Each structure stands twice: as C-alpha cells, then as structure tokens.
Amino acid sequence: MKKIVVLGGGYAGVLTAKKLAKKFKKNKDVQITLIDKQSYHTMLTELHEVAAGRVDEESIRMDLKRIFAGRNVEVVLDEIKTIDFDQKVLVSDQQSYEYDYLVIGTGCKPTFFGIPGAEHAHQLWSYTDAVNLREHILNMFRQAALTADKQKRRELLTFVTVGAGFTGVEMAGELGEWKDELCRSFHIDRDEVSLYIVDFAPKVLPMYPDKLIKKAEKRLIKLGNELVMNSAVSEIHEDKVVLNKGEKVIQTHTVIWAAGIEGSDIVDQASVEKAGRGRIVTNGHLQAKDYEDVYVVGDNIFYIPEGEERPVPQMVENAEHSAPVVAHNIAVDINGGTHKTYKPTFHGSMVCIGSRYGVAQVGMPGMWFNLSGFFAMASKHLINIIYFIQVLGFNKIWSYLMHEFFHTKNNRSMVGGLLSNSAPVFWKFPLRIFIGFMWLQQGLTKLPKIVHDFNNVFLLPAPPKADTIGGASEAVSQVVPEVVETVTAASGAIAEGASSAAAAVSQTVSDVVSNSGDIFTMLADAIHDFMNWITVLPVPGFVENMVNWSMDAFFYTPDGTQFTQLASLVQGGMICGEIIFGGMLIIGLFTPVAAIATIAMGCMIWASGMAPTEMLWYLVGGFALIGNSGMVLGLDYYVWPWIRKMLPKTPLLKKWYLYVD
C-alpha cells in the first residue's frame, strides 16, 4: 500500500488530490489522504465579497468531503504541527500520519513585517477573517448610530485598508460600495464615513500598466476612497494608525491588513530549504530539495522556470498548473515513466473594484490585453466558473450564479439588479392552474378517440400518397375536426366565420368524394381555404423541412400511403403527456419538470405548423412556471425539500455533483 498525503485543502491541495484520485482510481494499492484543519475549501479570491456584505458567507466555502465524494480520497480534519521528513511522518496534537509521498499545499498567511500593534489589525486571509471583518464593520456603524460625540463617531466611521495590491484594492472597492447601503440602513450621512488606502508604493496595483492603474485609482476615488501612497505604517493602535513614524496619524478603530504574505506556520517550521518569504525551493519536477518524495504545489513553490528571472507567482493559476504536474510525477514514481518539468504559462490576472467594475490584464507572454469595466468583470466570472467545473461541477456553478446574479443584495452585481428582482411565486398560482387546466382539457378531449381505436392517428397530417377516395375522405374527416378542436381549446371559441369555413370544407369533401377529378389537389385547396380563416404561428423554412423529413422517415410507410406504428405511439404519448403534465401543474407536483414538458409539447405543435397565436401564451406561461411555482399551494412544498435532501446521497449524482442544494 502506497500512502500519498496531501497537506492543505486550498486551491492547489484540492486540485492535486482530485488529479491523483483520477490517476489511481483503479489502483486499490494506493491510499490518498487530504489533511486540513478546516472541513471546507475556501474561495480566497472572493473573501472581500463576504467581508463587505455582498454575498452570504456560504457562497465562498465548499465542503471537502462533498468535493471528494465517490473518489479515492480520505478527508481528515486535523492540524499538523510538525513534519519529520526523515521518518516520513506528519504529527498533530492528536495523532501521526505516515506517508510514502507528501504534497505540501498549505498556502500562505499574512505578514506584518514586525510592525508594533499588528494584533489590532483585521486580516483578510480566511473564511473566518471575512466573517469577523463583516461583523466588525456592522458593529462600527451600529455604535456610530448611537454616538452623539462627533469625534468618537468620526473614529468609528473611519476605515483604513493597508496594502494597494489585489486584496487591498478589492476590499476597498467593496467597502466603498457597501458604505452607501450602510449609511441608508443606519441613517448616517455619507460625508461622515472616511475610507483610506495606505501603501508604501507610489501607486495602486503596481504590477499593472499605467493605463489600468489610472482607471483603478479613478474608480477607487469615485467610491469614496482617499489614496495615501508613499506611506509606510509605523504603528497600529486600537484607535489609530501611525504613518511614516508619526508624520500622519489616522484616528480609526478599523485597520484592514492586506499588505503582504509569507509561508504558513508549518512550512516556516519545516526543515527544508526556503526562499522568498517562506516558500519551499523546488526543482523542475516540483520536488523539494533533498527530498524526492516531497512535492510542493501552489503558493508554497519557489521555482524559477528556465528563461525566467522571477519565481512563479503566488496566484490561483499557479495552483491550477502545478497540480497536474505533481499528480503525474507521483504516478510516475509509483508506476514508472518519465517525469514532467513544470513549465507554466500564465494568462493574466483580474481585480474587481466593487461589484460592477474591474481591471484585468489577460492573454499570454508577448500578447497581453488590457480590460476594464464590464469585460474585466466578465473575465473574472468566467475564470471562477472554469475553476468550479474542476472542483464541484454543476452544484457549485449553480450556487455561484445564484449568489452573484440572482440573489444579489442591493443590486450589487455586474448587471445590477436586472436579474435579481424576482416576483414571489404565489403570484404564479393562478397561471399554473390555468395552463395546467388547458393542457389537461386538451388531453382528455382527445383520449376517447385513441381508446376507441389506438391506430386512429389524428394529430398528424394524412399520408401524402393515400390513393383511395375513401382514405382521403377519412383523412379529412379526421384532420378537420381536430383542427377545429385545437383552435377551440386554444382560443376559447371559434369565430362565426371559421364555423362557416368548416361547413364549406365539409361540402368540399362531399364534392370531392363524388367527383372523379384530381382528389388530392381539391383536398389541398379545401384545407388551405379553411386555414386561411385562422391565424397560425409562422414556422421557419428550415424547421418545416426538418419536420417534413422526420415525418417521411418515421411516421409514414415507405410508399407514403399509411401511418407507421410509431405514429400511433407518438400520438398516444402526446395525449398522455397533455393529461399527465397538465395534472401535475394543477396539483403543483414537479412543476419545473411539468412546465418544461409543456414547453416542449408546445414547440412540437408549433413546428407542425398548426399552432395558433394563442400558443405563445402557453409557451411564455410555461417559462414563467419553471421557477418552483408549485411551492405555493402545491405538493412541491413537501416534495422538493425531501428531494434536495436525497439527491446528494445518490451515488451517481453525488460523484458528478448533479444536484442543487
């Protein structure tokens, strides 16, 4: 038994464990264990959204056991305190874990550069940090709303973000947006709130070109931030922050630290060669120096690729690139083969400044594109979705879209509130009953005809080459009443002129039967005359061609004179569908499924060229009913909660994340 231990449940650790599980899914002699001190994986790039109240806290965490459901990965909740590389053992306060191969992906932690009073600053590097910071900001506004002392009030409403890199700019942007809503909620004048961004650098986001920097600075200022650049933090107190050794003092109870990172505690204590603020020095195969059985992924890597001057950056894309390389190399160690050398190609980065604006530099070395505003935000969401596909599939993508677009607070999304202001489902109750009744009526009206003769196909046009007058007469006698019946059910009543047309068609049929002329030409003219009395939805030519082809291929015999058995089955299925799905809508059972089914049936009728304009109401109404309309005065109120509880337990759905929480 080979034991592979992945230490850390961050971006790199999770991806590496999933890649390893895929490599060894058929090898029972390999045991993969992921160890983390938390039971969930956190989206660190989205912490500012929770800290500034834009999304709920559950939106940035993913249960590790759910991520690895149905996979050969054991998730262990523990905090490793020491690593014995010689004995190949990880030690915690509870127990020890042996390994044959170790993957270190513990990430980083904030560094305060020895600044006195740093314990008074709020960090933003974990799920807990984000939640605590959000509650602290709310408390500052609560206290300010109850304070009459102007000086005290000013201190409570002053917020200082230290660091003008990715994390600092994103937090300052979100806070600039959130303050407006907080001022409305607590009845505080906006002018009383002061926001600062402090950094030793001369400008924000120094890794970006000047054009993007100027746009970022302009946006931050618009959101109410004052940029204090070329300023170093000397001391942090409970009620103030001192800059440049006393040159400037900002009275505040809130200092948000986003000024730098260093290696995690366990890496800091590990007896391996390190460089660049606690990163582990590796070779091209991402193995730690002197330990070929120890691999490093993500932010812990200190490796300078061939031809580069700097080590690989500490960013999510580095985690995504390093994970498959390490998984491959460990598989080679166990099964044999050739190691891969880490040759990452990075495609840029993106910074959001509030919910609606961002700046980004994307592309590849030698060909970079600068994006801002809507396109930068779109790239951010696309990058996140690509990551979610790898980690938690449809389940997390659905959750992410709900939080970011459909359940947003105070219209704080890339598209504002255009997608988030949904009507209560109880307003859909009358529509659900009406559409359900109309479909049910359609089916029950037609059912006796197929009960009498299952092969009596009346939902389809007559075979094009029926060669007897009796057959043509019978076809007409089937088609005409059905057309009348369809229009009657759809529009409520046929106009008086349409009834006259029906009588004219009957007379025409009688004439046809007694006439030895061209039966098919006269029959077509008669039906065409009748159809001129009603209005039907137009069908594009290419759809009509596809329908005609399918009719000839499946519903008519090769000689075109009779219906096939499949035509009878399709007709029976259609009628049963109208009854079943109409009934489901009325009682409110599985309404999303029933609504989608009625849309499909409506589209089939439309494609046949026989759909009256009233069919548009059925189609649009079906779309309106998809969104859990059965939760009000319907059985879905009882059924869906039970289903949501059971779906994650279904092995196939659980493994492929094909469910919604």
Side-chain angles (χ1 to χ4, degrees):
M1 176 70 69
K2 293 292 184 180
K3 297 180 179 180
I4 304 173
V5 175
V6 179
L7 184 57
Y11 292 98
V14 165
L15 289 175
T16 303
K18 292 203 75 171
K19 300 293 184 184
L20 286 167
K22 188 174 182 180
K23 292 280 186 183
F24 297 107
K25 64 181 179 180
K26 296 182 180 180
N27 192 337
K28 296 183 179 180
D29 294 328
V30 174
Q31 181 184 49
I32 305 169
T33 304
L34 184 142
I35 304 176
D36 195 274
K37 61 183 178 181
Q38 296 175 330
S39 61
Y40 48 81
H41 168 51
T42 304
M43 287 290 294
L44 297 181
T45 58
E46 313 300 308
L47 291 175
H48 57 280
E49 296 187 18
V50 171
R54 172 142 68 100
V55 299
D56 296 327
E57 56 194 71
E58 65 267 16
S59 68
I60 65 170
R61 67 173 186 240
M62 291 172 271
D63 181 53
L64 287 172
K65 290 187 177 180
R66 178 173 292 185
I67 291 174
F68 295 105
R71 289 166 175 80
N72 180 29
V73 177
E74 180 185 5
V75 176
V76 174
L77 181 62
D78 204 349
E79 183 175 4
I80 301 300
K81 295 300 180 70
T82 59
I83 304 175
D84 188 333
F85 294 105
D86 295 325
Q87 297 299 319
K88 297 186 178 182
V89 175
L90 307 174
V91 182
S92 72
D93 291 337
Q94 308 298 324
Q95 65 183 90
S96 60
Y97 305 89
E98 297 179 351
Y99 68 84
D100 293 295
Y101 298 95
L102 173 63
V103 180
I104 299 178
T106 55
C108 298
K109 66 178 182 179
T111 180
F112 295 94
F113 307 104
I115 294 174
E119 66 274 9
H120 297 299
H122 294 267
Q123 305 175 30
L124 190 59
W125 197 250
S126 71
Y127 165 82
T128 304
D129 292 340
V131 173
N132 290 342
L133 179 56
R134 181 191 62 194
E135 294 306 310
H136 172 80
I137 294 171
L138 285 169
N139 284 331
M140 292 299 98
F141 275 85
R142 292 188 185 108
Q143 293 180 35
L146 301 173
T147 301
D149 186 330
K150 292 185 177 180
Q151 177 60 30
K152 182 69 173 178
R153 189 181 177 96
R154 187 178 301 111
E155 292 177 7
L156 292 170
L157 296 175
T158 297
F159 303 89
V160 179
T161 301
V162 180
F166 290 170
T167 303
V169 167
E170 290 186 326
M171 184 63 217
E174 291 288 349
L175 188 55
E177 274 192 353
W178 195 28
K179 79 175 191 307
D180 294 338
E181 178 58 29
L182 292 174
C183 288
R184 283 191 292 270
S185 298
F186 293 98
H187 308 289
I188 292 173
D189 194 320
R190 295 182 187 179
D191 294 335
E192 296 185 79
V193 181
S194 299
L195 307 179
Y196 295 90
I197 300 179
V198 178
D199 201 293
F200 184 74
K203 49 192 175 182
V204 305
L205 303 174
M207 69 294 296
Y208 277 170
D210 289 340
K211 185 176 181 180
L212 290 182
I213 290 174
K214 291 179 180 179
K215 290 184 176 182
E217 291 178 341
K218 182 179 179 181
R219 185 67 176 183
L220 288 168
I221 294 172
K222 182 178 180 180
L223 292 172
N225 289 277
E226 180 179 339
L227 308 183
V228 185
M229 311 309 294
N230 296 305
S231 299
V233 175
S234 303
E235 302 173 35
I236 301 176
H237 298 265
E238 188 175 355
D239 59 352
K240 65 182 178 182
V241 57
V242 180
L243 307 180
N244 296 331
K245 298 182 179 180
E247 289 183 7
K248 183 178 179 64
V249 177
I250 302 176
Q251 301 292 332
T252 179
H253 289 264
T254 307
V255 176
I256 304 170
W257 189 265
I261 56 176
E262 62 183 1
S264 61
D265 291 334
I266 186 65
V267 170
D268 185 51
Q269 299 172 9
S271 57
V272 290
E273 184 176 343
K274 295 182 284 290
R277 294 184 188 173
R279 301 166 70 181
I280 300 175
V281 178
T282 72
N283 58 22
H285 301 154
L286 299 184
Q287 296 165 307
K289 274 197 171 182
D290 303 323
Y291 297 102
E292 293 185 351
D293 52 6
V294 177
Y295 287 85
V296 187
V297 290
D299 288 350
N300 296 123
I301 299 172
F302 186 92
Y303 171 65
I304 303 176
E306 184 178 353
E308 300 291 334
E309 298 180 355
R310 298 180 179 181
V312 292
Q314 293 171 291
M315 54 193 300
V316 175
E317 195 171 10
N318 182 36
E320 294 179 309
H321 289 329
S322 59
V325 173
V326 167
H328 170 83
N329 288 341
I330 292 178
V332 167
D333 290 338
I334 295 175
N335 300 326
T338 304
H339 285 90
K340 284 184 179 180
T341 300
Y342 189 40
K343 298 178 181 179
T345 300
F346 297 103
H347 299 88
S349 59
M350 183 271 164
V351 179
C352 60
I353 309 172
S355 61
R356 304 184 187 182
Y357 191 86
V359 293
Q361 188 177 56
V362 298
M364 59 187 66
M367 187 173 62
W368 295 105
F369 300 94
N370 297 329
L371 304 176
S372 61
F374 177 88
F375 294 104
M377 293 299 293
S379 68
K380 175 233 182 182
H381 292 302
L382 177 61
I383 291 169
N384 283 344
I385 288 174
I386 292 174
Y387 176 72
F388 294 143
I389 291 173
Q390 303 176 72
V391 177
L392 204 55
F394 172 78
N395 175 264
K396 185 56 187 176
I397 292 174
W398 177 267
S399 172
Y400 179 76
L401 294 177
M402 291 298 106
H403 285 293
E404 290 287 342
F405 296 103
F406 298 102
H407 297 162
T408 55
K409 301 174 182 178
N410 312 121
N411 300 336
R412 292 169 63 188
S413 79
M414 186 177 74
V415 294
L418 292 175
L419 299 177
S420 63
N421 292 324
S422 55
V425 294
F426 58 77
W427 293 118
K428 300 179 182 179
F429 173 70
L431 178 65
R432 194 189 84 214
I433 298 299
F434 172 74
I435 292 183
F437 173 77
M438 296 306 294
W439 281 110
L440 179 63
Q441 182 190 45
Q442 287 271 348
L444 291 177
T445 303
K446 300 167 187 172
L447 183 61
K449 298 180 181 180
I450 65 169
V451 171
H452 176 70
D453 182 5
F454 186 73
N455 293 319
N456 178 21
V457 180
F458 55 86
L459 287 178
L460 302 175
K465 297 180 181 180
D467 54 2
T468 65
I469 294 177
S473 177
E474 181 182 357
V476 173
S477 65
Q478 293 172 356
V479 172
V480 173
E482 179 57 24
V483 172
V484 175
E485 178 184 278
T486 301
V487 178
T488 301
S491 62
I494 295 181
E496 193 175 319
S499 299
S500 300
V505 171
S506 299
Q507 181 61 44
T508 301
V509 171
S510 299
D511 294 341
V512 168
V513 172
S514 61
N515 196 317
S516 59
D518 191 342
I519 178 69
F520 301 109
T521 301
M522 297 180 68
L523 178 60
D525 290 342
I527 295 177
H528 182 267
D529 290 339
F530 176 82
M531 293 304 298
N532 283 338
W533 286 91
I534 65 174
T535 304
V536 296
L537 293 175
V539 180
F542 74 94
V543 174
E544 187 176 2
N545 292 336
M546 288 191 295
V547 171
N548 291 337
W549 175 85
S550 63
M551 297 283 288
D552 292 336
F554 302 107
F555 299 143
Y556 300 140
T557 55
D559 58 5
T561 60
Q562 298 180 11
F563 289 110
T564 63
Q565 189 65 31
L566 180 61
S568 301
L569 293 174
V570 170
Q571 174 180 254
M574 184 75 171
I575 295 173
C576 291
E578 291 174 348
I579 296 172
I580 292 172
F581 295 122
M584 289 170 63
L585 288 177
I586 292 174
I587 64 176
L589 178 63
F590 299 126
T591 48
V593 176
I596 293 173
T598 60
I599 294 171
M601 291 190 299
C603 290
M604 291 173 62
I605 296 173
W606 164 74
S608 70
M610 298 295 291
T613 53
E614 286 80 1
M615 184 58 68
L616 285 174
W617 291 98
Y618 292 84
L619 296 175
V620 175
F623 278 106
L625 296 176
I626 292 176
N628 283 338
S629 58
M631 295 296 287
V632 173
L633 298 177
L635 295 181
D636 281 346
Y637 178 81
Y638 305 98
V639 173
W640 276 116
W642 179 81
I643 291 177
R644 285 185 177 135
K645 185 185 297 184
M646 297 304 297
L647 286 181
K649 299 178 182 179
T650 306
L652 179 63
L653 301 183
K654 180 171 64 174
K655 181 175 181 180
W656 296 103
Y657 319 118
L658 299 176
Y659 56 90
V660 175
D661 295 323

